[in-house]
Amino acid sequence: MPDNKPACPVIHFDHHAPELAIDPWTTYKELRQSCPIAQSDAHGGFKGVTRYRDIVTIAKDTNRFSSSHDIDGTGNGYQGVTIPAPPVRSIPVELDPPEHTKYRKLLNQIFSPAAVEARRARIEEIAFSFVDAVSARGSCDLVNEIAAPIPAAVTLELLGMPIDKWERYAVPMHQIAYAAPDSAEYQEALVGIAWIMEDVHAEIQRRREGSGPGDDLLSQLLSAEVDGAPLSDQTVLEIAFLVIVGGLDNTASLLANVFLYLHQNHAQRDRLR
């Protein structure tokens, strides 16, 4: 008799659930111990992989687990590394080798330790400006007034764009990460991200029209070549989109979790102080 038992146990794991946000560690520990690869019935169904060695294996096996973002799904059938798929690719994380390697080498130059160190003074100036704005009050919302605005402003500075737009960039990028796909907040985030894409594209067009070379990321991308050919406006936009995603929500989330950890672990907070 054939064994009809599914390879992955079906569970209800919802990464948007409020209770998971309060204590994700217990849930992840239970999954690793009981069903490290599970099939969730939430959001149309997906598989969750929780063990480090399995994740590394999957990440390295680009033949069976492609990251390639085929926008309409008619080519290889894959639509990127997130569900739902975003409206544009994020280069290079949504490319497979050898294309991924070419663009990763390009970004390695821009984000090298020496290149980042050259920007230290300006990054510190931006960070101090936000801290100074709240220090006189003696209290602040660490997430909304420190963790969110500073990474957003620094990312815009890196791209060579006005940092006073930070809020219009930060809000939808955070919202798209935490809002469930069927929620009104998610739809609002999509509208905000569409504005971001239009704003960055307009900036690329201005550079193309002769605003002059600079040492910012957009200027360097517009003068870069891959396989002997310059990058198209769309490719520059897709690389910039990845930088915005990583620079805004990822960094702000990391800082927020650091603040939460220090709040819950006073000995470590005193040690840091």
Side-chain angles (χ1 to χ4, degrees):
M1 293 291 291
D3 184 5
N4 294 322
K5 183 179 179 180
C8 300
V10 177
I11 62 171
H12 184 73
F13 171 75
D14 184 357
H15 50 290
H16 287 294
E19 58 271 19
L20 184 68
I22 296 172
D23 180 17
W25 305 280
T26 299
T27 299
Y28 292 142
K29 182 178 181 180
E30 290 174 353
L31 284 174
R32 284 195 302 272
Q33 293 175 343
S34 60
C35 49
I37 300 178
Q39 173 74 39
S40 175
D41 60 359
H43 306 292
F46 62 89
K47 288 183 175 63
V49 182
T50 61
R51 289 187 301 199
Y52 175 81
R53 62 179 178 271
D54 292 332
I55 293 170
V56 170
T57 299
I58 289 170
K60 292 181 176 179
D61 188 350
T62 56
N63 290 324
R64 290 191 299 168
F65 299 97
S66 174
S67 295
S68 178
H69 189 161
D70 173 28
I71 297 295
D72 59 9
T74 60
N76 60 21
Y78 300 108
Q79 291 186 281
V81 298
T82 63
I83 301 173
V88 298
R89 296 181 302 174
S90 293
I91 294 179
V93 298
E94 293 193 319
L95 296 175
D96 291 327
E99 288 77 19
H100 173 276
T101 307
K102 299 171 185 177
Y103 289 96
R104 181 60 185 263
K105 285 183 177 178
L106 175 63
L107 286 175
N108 282 349
Q109 300 171 16
I110 297 172
F111 288 102
S112 70
V116 174
E117 182 62 29
R119 300 182 184 276
R120 175 187 289 272
R122 178 58 179 150
I123 293 172
E124 289 180 344
E125 181 183 358
I126 292 171
F128 288 151
S129 69
F130 282 96
V131 173
D132 290 344
V134 299
S135 61
R137 299 205 312 260
S139 65
C140 71
D141 184 310
L142 284 172
V143 174
N144 291 329
E145 296 181 86
I146 298 295
I150 293 177
V154 169
T155 301
L156 288 171
E157 174 75 15
L158 176 67
L159 289 166
M161 302 180 67
I163 67 174
D164 59 3
K165 296 180 179 181
W166 73 262
E167 193 166 8
R168 291 206 67 177
Y169 275 71
V171 171
M173 294 309 301
H174 300 321
Q175 216 165 313
I176 201 74
Y178 69 72
D182 57 353
S183 67
E185 282 186 308
Y186 187 86
Q187 297 305 314
E188 291 174 3
L190 289 178
V191 173
I193 288 177
W195 179 88
I196 290 173
M197 303 308 294
E198 292 172 2
D199 191 52
V200 176
H201 184 261
E203 184 65 26
I204 292 171
Q205 291 296 107
R206 284 193 288 272
R207 305 294 182 88
R208 292 286 195 199
E209 291 168 3
S211 62
D215 66 350
D216 58 82
L217 178 59
L218 287 181
S219 294
Q220 293 180 53
L221 291 175
L222 289 170
S223 62
E225 294 184 350
V226 171
D227 290 336
L231 307 184
S232 67
D233 287 0
Q234 182 64 25
T235 298
V236 173
L237 179 63
E238 290 170 345
I239 296 174
F241 182 72
L242 174 62
V243 172
I244 291 167
V245 171
L248 274 69
D249 189 67
N250 289 359
T251 311
S253 297
L254 172 63
L255 288 171
N257 277 286
V258 168
F259 294 148
L260 178 61
Y261 175 82
L262 294 173
H263 171 69
Q264 296 172 338
N265 295 270
H266 289 195
Q268 294 301 316
R269 184 175 64 182
D270 292 340
R271 180 179 175 221
L272 176 64
R273 184 184 293 114

